[in-house]
């Protein structure tokens, strides 16, 4: 349809990013800080490491693209 969205794309991006940060906090067990420049770190000043080892065929993607 032609209905106007209830939120802007930017609002959706910010909402999704905050959800991802919440998930990172749960996975790492640490409180996460987002500063005004958009840098993410833990409260002890360490960067957040979101990398994980992939299984099976996803390992090919990890090796090929360095993710």
């Amino acid at each position: 349809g032609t209905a106007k969205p209830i939120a802007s794309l930017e609002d959706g991006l910010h909402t999704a990013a905050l959800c991802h940060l919440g998930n990172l906090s749960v996975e790492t067990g640490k409180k996460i800080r987002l500063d005004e420049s958009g840098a993410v770190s833990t409260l002890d000043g360490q960067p957040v490491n979101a990398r994980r080892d992939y299984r099976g065929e996803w390992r090919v993607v990890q090796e090929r693209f360095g993710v």
Side-chain angles (χ1 to χ4, degrees):
T2 58
K4 185 176 179 180
I6 60 171
S8 69
L9 183 60
E10 186 175 3
D11 288 341
L13 172 71
H14 289 212
T15 300
L18 290 173
C19 290
H20 289 302
L21 290 174
N23 288 335
L24 282 171
S25 178
V26 169
E27 286 183 21
T28 62
K30 296 183 177 187
K31 291 183 180 181
I32 294 178
R33 183 182 73 211
L34 177 65
D35 70 15
E36 292 177 7
S37 71
V40 178
S41 63
T42 59
L43 291 181
D44 59 6
Q46 297 298 314
V48 177
N49 185 359
R51 299 177 72 90
R52 65 173 66 167
D53 291 328
Y54 291 97
R55 297 171 291 161
E57 64 188 45
W58 293 107
R59 186 171 289 130
V60 173
V61 174
Q62 183 182 24
E63 291 167 1
R64 179 172 290 165
F65 296 103
V67 292

